[in-house]
Amino acid sequence: MSKRASVLFVCLGNICRSPTAEGVFRKLVEQAGLQEQIHIDSCGTGNWHIGKGPDPRSREAAGNRGVDISTLKARQFTEKDLNIFDYVVVMDRQNLADVKDIWHQNGGTKPTLFLEYGHSGVTEVPDPYHGGEDGFEQVLDLIEEAGQGLLQNIQGRMA
Ligand code: 4NP
């Protein structure tokens, strides 16, 4: 890999988990001074929320940890993303199955579960959309932890 890398976070709606991951990871990358080298985006496998901003509960939970995701806008995953991004990082096994279906036909970057980069022992970022406030805090905890591992992985490959 060159001295540049690109990362795409994928969930179902692109209004809760993946925009949160985009915002948290952007902050980690900025803290490492790598914002010119690492390109970050997010999207959803579904089309219901295209063009909408993040869920207010995600905006608030992220904002409480110093991460502003209020300007992000949802978009849908396309097969072209597999040709563009070096890392296609998904939140749960359903996202993985959905993106892998397209990867099998298209080729390109193989999708991976985001939490494989973490050490929490949890393998999926649970969908918080239909649950309570706790779910949004848990999403942030898991994303912050795995985000550090993902950044280390990228730094190792860029070295
Ligand atoms: P996300 O959460 O995949 O983390 O953005 C969801 C948002 C919306 C829906 C499902 C999950 N929905 O069914 O509309």
Side-chain angles (χ1 to χ4, degrees), residues 4-8 39 41 75 77-88 106-109:
R4 302 182 72 80
S6 54
V7 180
L8 180 66
H39 173 66
D41 197 6
R75 74 165 177 92
F77 173 82
T78 83
E79 73 269 16
K80 291 195 190 90
D81 289 316
L82 297 174
N83 303 329
I84 293 171
F85 288 90
D86 302 312
Y87 290 77
V88 176
N106 178 90
T109 299

Side-chain angles (χ1 to χ4, degrees), residues 11-19 48-49 91 95 126-130:
C11 64
L12 178 59
N14 194 209
I15 57 168
C16 297
R17 292 165 294 174
S18 61
W48 311 284
H49 302 286
M91 299 297 142
N95 307 148
D127 182 350
Y129 188 65
H130 296 288

Side-chain angles (χ1 to χ4, degrees), residues 47 107 154:
N47 64 4
I154 294 173

Side-chain angles (χ1 to χ4, degrees), residues 92-104:
D92 64 28
R93 287 198 171 75
Q94 185 61 55
N95 307 148
L96 189 63
D98 291 341
V99 176
K100 260 194 179 162
D101 275 351
I102 297 168
W103 174 73
H104 279 127

Side-chain angles (χ1 to χ4, degrees), residues 3 23 43 61 80 107 126 156:
K3 297 283 181 192
C43 66
K80 291 195 190 90

Side-chain angles (χ1 to χ4, degrees), residues 8 10-11 17 27 37 46 53 57 63-64 69 77 80 82-83 98-99 112 120 127 134 148 151:
L8 180 66
V10 186
C11 64
R17 292 165 294 174
K27 188 174 174 186
Q37 281 111 293
R57 297 166 295 176
N64 288 341
I69 59 171
F77 173 82
K80 291 195 190 90
L82 297 174
N83 303 329
D98 291 341
V99 176
T112 53
S120 64
D127 182 350
D134 286 4
Q148 294 180 12
L151 181 56

